[in-house]
């Protein structure tokens, strides 16, 4: 089968194509800088929202390269804000997993088949743990002596510290529902059911992955709908996005979950203030496209 390789376009040609499609470029120097240091393909993920439709490369009337960069910079600052917030949630979640599970199930509970309902998922988790242990250069991992300890893996308070947020959430999800500590951990974060917490912690883990890989966040339609909760123990929103509609897959609902978990993970945090500050700084960002409700900032959650 013959294939035709698309020729790589030099920067002047990239600018020319954008202009031919109707994008207004006020400064060639600025366009050269961003195309050279951010890249045509990455920026295309942002300017697609300024194009007339998904099948046309033509831009809407009045679209400028400055608008593209404004959206790009907003999304970048939003990712940094979320990474800071999610780090606090991740550290808290990791500590609670250790503190709640170790007293009842021992230092190596994460490998105890009696605790988990799916052996296949447990085996996958152990494979991941083994890979992370093998490539870790942490001194507290290297000093583990299998012969003296009698365990294949270092204790949970060491091993869990080198695992990703995604692996931690998968381990929690696989804990049997009749293990009371699973619900206790959920209760710590103001959620009375472990199925709510495992849904929400998975949502936060997915956001973290998008942020860590510099993916577009602000206008993204997230793959999974967060499980809707009733009887929230902490300040929550009155207008809950309909789980059967796309509204629940937009960014706003994900931000609400991050804010809710921060109540416990980082009391007194300034996430709400910094988010509002960011939205004021970038006034042209489409809040409706992100799923924000009218007067959203008046909800108890954001106070």
């Amino acid at each position: 089968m013959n294939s035709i390789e698309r020729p790589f376009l030099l920067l002047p040609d990239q600018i020319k194509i954008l202009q031919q499609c109707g994008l207004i470029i006020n400064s060639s120097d600025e366009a050269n800088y961003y195309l050279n240091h951010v890249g045509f393909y990455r920026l295309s993920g942002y300017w697609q929202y300024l194009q007339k439709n998904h099948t046309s490369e033509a831009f809407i009337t009045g679209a400028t390269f400055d608008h593209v960069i404004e959206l790009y910079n907003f999304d970048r600052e939003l990712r940094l804000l979320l990474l800071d917030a999610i780090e606090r949630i991740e550290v808290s979640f990791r500590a609670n997993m250790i503190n709640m599970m170790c007293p009842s199930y021992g230092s190596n509970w994460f490998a105890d088949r009696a605790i988990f309902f799916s052996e296949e998922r447990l085996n996958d988790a152990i494979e991941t743990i083994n890979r992370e242990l093998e490539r870790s250069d942490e001194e507290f991992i290297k000093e583990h002596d299998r012969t003296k300890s009698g365990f294949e893996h270092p204790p949970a308070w060491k091993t869990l510290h080198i695992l990703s947020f995604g692996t931690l959430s998968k381990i929690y999800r696989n804990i049997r529902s009749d293990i009371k500590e699973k619900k206790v951990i959920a209760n710590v974060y103001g959620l009375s059911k472990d199925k709510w917490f495992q849904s929400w912690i998975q949502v936060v883990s997915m956001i973290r992955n998008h942020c860590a890989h510099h993916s577009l966040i602000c206008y993204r339609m997230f793959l999974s709908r967060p499980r809707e909760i009733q009887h929230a123990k902490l300040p929550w929103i009155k207008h809950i996005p309909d789980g059967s509609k796309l509204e629940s897959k937009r960014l706003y609902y994900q931000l609400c979950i991050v804010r809710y978990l921060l109540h416990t993970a980082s009391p007194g945090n300034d996430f709400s203030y910094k988010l509002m500050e960011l939205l004021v700084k970038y006034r042209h960002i489409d809040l409706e496209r992100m799923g924000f409700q009218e007067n959203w900032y008046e909800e108890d959650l954001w106070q």
Side-chain angles (χ1 to χ4, degrees), residues 147-201:
T147 304
K148 289 184 179 180
S149 70
F151 291 103
E152 180 72 14
H153 307 102
W157 52 88
K158 294 184 178 181
T159 296
L160 265 61
H161 276 288
I162 66 166
L163 301 183
S164 70
F165 197 173
T167 300
L168 286 173
S169 68
K170 289 176 183 178
I171 290 174
Y172 177 85
R173 192 162 67 250
N174 195 30
I175 296 174
R176 295 198 335 253
S177 296
D178 61 334
I179 300 294
K180 64 181 180 62
E181 286 76 10
K182 187 175 186 179
K183 185 176 180 180
V184 171
I185 293 172
N187 290 344
V188 167
Y189 297 95
L191 298 170
S192 58
K193 295 184 179 181
D194 56 79
K195 64 181 180 180
W196 295 344
F197 182 66
Q198 69 185 31
S199 169
W200 282 21
I201 209 68

Side-chain angles (χ1 to χ4, degrees), residues 15 18-25 47 50 59 63-65 68:
I15 292 175
L18 291 173
Q19 290 175 321
Q20 289 174 343
C21 290
L23 185 66
I24 299 170
I25 297 178
W47 67 55
L50 297 174
F59 287 91
T64 71
F65 192 78
V68 177

Side-chain angles (χ1 to χ4, degrees), residues 21 44 47-61 289:
C21 290
S44 70
W47 67 55
Q48 66 172 311
Y49 297 103
L50 297 174
Q51 292 173 321
K52 292 182 178 180
N53 53 58
H54 293 298
T55 58
S56 171
E57 294 183 349
F59 287 91
I60 59 176
T61 302
R289 187 188 286 272

Side-chain angles (χ1 to χ4, degrees), residues 169 173 195-210 220-228 241-255 257:
S169 68
R173 192 162 67 250
K195 64 181 180 180
W196 295 344
F197 182 66
Q198 69 185 31
S199 169
W200 282 21
I201 209 68
Q202 183 179 11
V203 164
V204 177
S205 172
M206 290 178 65
I207 298 172
R208 189 253 175 222
N209 287 343
H210 288 310
R220 176 177 292 276
M221 298 295 291
F222 292 85
L223 292 177
S224 59
R225 292 183 174 91
R227 186 182 287 270
E228 183 179 332
D242 189 332
S244 65
K245 298 180 180 178
L246 293 179
E247 185 183 17
S248 66
K249 300 178 75 173
R250 297 187 189 276
L251 176 68
Y252 174 68
Y253 198 15
Q254 324 291 317
L255 293 176
I257 289 170

Side-chain angles (χ1 to χ4, degrees), residues 46 49 67-75 218-219 285:
Y46 295 91
Y49 297 103
H67 292 150
V68 177
I69 300 309
E70 181 181 34
L71 180 58
Y72 171 78
N73 286 332
F74 167 75
D75 197 56
C218 59
Y219 293 160
I285 301 303

Side-chain angles (χ1 to χ4, degrees), residues 65-124:
F65 192 78
D66 291 338
H67 292 150
V68 177
I69 300 309
E70 181 181 34
L71 180 58
Y72 171 78
N73 286 332
F74 167 75
D75 197 56
R76 177 181 175 277
E77 291 187 40
L78 178 63
R79 286 198 305 271
L80 293 174
L81 176 61
L82 280 167
L83 281 172
D84 177 72
I86 292 172
E87 178 190 351
R88 298 165 192 259
I89 296 171
E90 179 180 352
V91 170
S92 172
F93 175 44
R94 196 186 311 272
N96 272 281
M97 287 270 280
I98 294 167
N99 294 338
M100 298 297 178
M101 296 297 291
C102 287
S104 298
Y105 303 101
S107 61
N108 284 69
W109 60 266
F110 54 84
D112 185 351
R113 299 186 185 279
I115 294 175
F116 302 98
F117 68 81
S118 170
E119 186 169 346
E120 181 180 358
R121 291 181 183 177
L122 174 60
N123 290 337
D124 289 343

